[in-house]
Amino acid sequence: MKASIIVEENSGKIIYEENSNIQNYPASVTKILTAILTLENCQLTDTVTVSKTAISNIPSGYVIAPLFVGEQMSVEDLLYALMLKSANDAAYVLAEHVGGSVEVFSDMMNKKAEELGCKNSHFVNPNGIHNSNHYTTAYDMYLIAKYAMENDEFVKIVSTYQHTLSATNKYSKKDRIMKNTNNFVNPNSRYYDENVKGIKTGTTMQAGNCLITSTSKNGFDVITVVLGAKTAESKFSETKNTS
């Protein structure tokens, strides 16, 4: 079921809402929570080693960086892979690094969501790969997004159009270019909007097309959440029309 909400950040005033407390699958907008937990528990310069388990359980068809077993990377590069290209392997690598395991990290996600006031969410993985027990609401995702946008480093990452991963011990080339899937921050897109500061797209067959944006215009900071849009195009057009 499609759900959406538009909220003025500073006042918390709801400008528009549709099914905002109905549970939906979040797909990759899940990664907003993964990113903020990583930023709060790591240094950007920390070195992370990619494990076999982190990259071996991703179903066919899901986006990867790609990363390689034994590869040593900075948290910063992994966050750009996570939030720009929406790399699911980066999500697992960061979850294992921060929590020790995906299961422990998922517990951290649920605890953080509860602390932020989320009442209708439950997370079982760090990337939004479909699971019937992994769900949220438009309102809960607004709460998570609002909190994340208070972190300057998070804002810097999600408002970036592209980032090139550094060469590593397992991959000597510098050709892994992470391009942001959010057309609002893509200067080559007809949806480009200099007022948009990010933040994240998400798509699975079960979740539909999801998009969360943060916009600063005419002195107002507005967060817009769209979950379950019918097409990839409509998540941008519907956000543009309502914000």
Side-chain angles (χ1 to χ4, degrees), residues 11 13 27 52 62 82 104 106 115 139 159 170 194 201 206 213 221 236 240:
S11 68
K13 180 182 178 181
K52 183 178 180 180
Y62 282 88
L82 177 80
V104 172
S106 297
E115 288 174 358
Y139 182 74
S159 60
K170 294 290 184 178
E194 63 181 4
T201 64
Q206 299 87 350
T213 58
D221 295 325
F236 292 107
K240 185 174 183 179

Side-chain angles (χ1 to χ4, degrees), residues 65-78:
L67 308 178
F68 303 94
V69 176
E71 186 169 17
Q72 295 180 324
M73 304 183 67
S74 69
V75 164
E76 183 175 28
D77 268 351
L78 287 165

Side-chain angles (χ1 to χ4, degrees), residues 84-152:
L84 271 58
K85 189 176 180 180
S86 201
N88 290 290
D89 44 359
Y92 280 139
V93 171
L94 288 169
E96 289 185 353
H97 179 68
V98 175
S101 70
V102 169
E103 292 74 21
V104 172
F105 187 80
S106 297
D107 288 341
M108 294 173 66
M109 296 173 75
N110 289 314
K111 181 179 179 181
K112 188 63 159 185
E114 185 178 356
E115 288 174 358
L116 296 177
C118 300
K119 298 185 183 302
N120 295 291
S121 296
H122 186 254
F123 301 98
V124 299
N125 62 54
N127 44 28
I129 286 177
H130 181 69
N131 185 300
S132 60
N133 291 317
H134 187 96
Y135 53 82
T136 189
T137 67
Y139 182 74
D140 283 359
M141 284 310 308
Y142 148 71
L143 293 175
I144 293 168
K146 179 180 184 299
Y147 178 78
M149 292 301 288
E150 294 170 2
N151 184 296
D152 291 341

Side-chain angles (χ1 to χ4, degrees), residues 45-61:
T45 54
D46 287 352
T47 298
V48 183
T49 301
V50 178
S51 72
K52 183 178 180 180
T53 57
I55 64 175
S56 62
N57 296 319
I58 299 171
S60 175

Side-chain angles (χ1 to χ4, degrees), residues 193 195-197 214-222 240 243:
D193 187 340
N195 299 305
V196 173
K197 298 183 289 183
S214 176
T215 308
S216 293
K217 191 174 183 179
N218 299 325
F220 289 95
D221 295 325
V222 176
K240 185 174 183 179
S243 61

Side-chain angles (χ1 to χ4, degrees), residues 1 11 14-15 18-19 50-51 57 62 67 74 94 108 118 126 158 168 171 198 200-201 203-204 206-207 225 233:
M1 179 183 291
S11 68
I14 297 175
I15 300 169
E18 176 187 4
N19 301 319
V50 178
S51 72
N57 296 319
Y62 282 88
L67 308 178
S74 69
L94 288 169
M108 294 173 66
C118 300
V158 298
T168 70
Y171 195 82
K200 190 73 189 73
T201 64
T203 304
T204 65
Q206 299 87 350
V225 180
E233 181 79 7

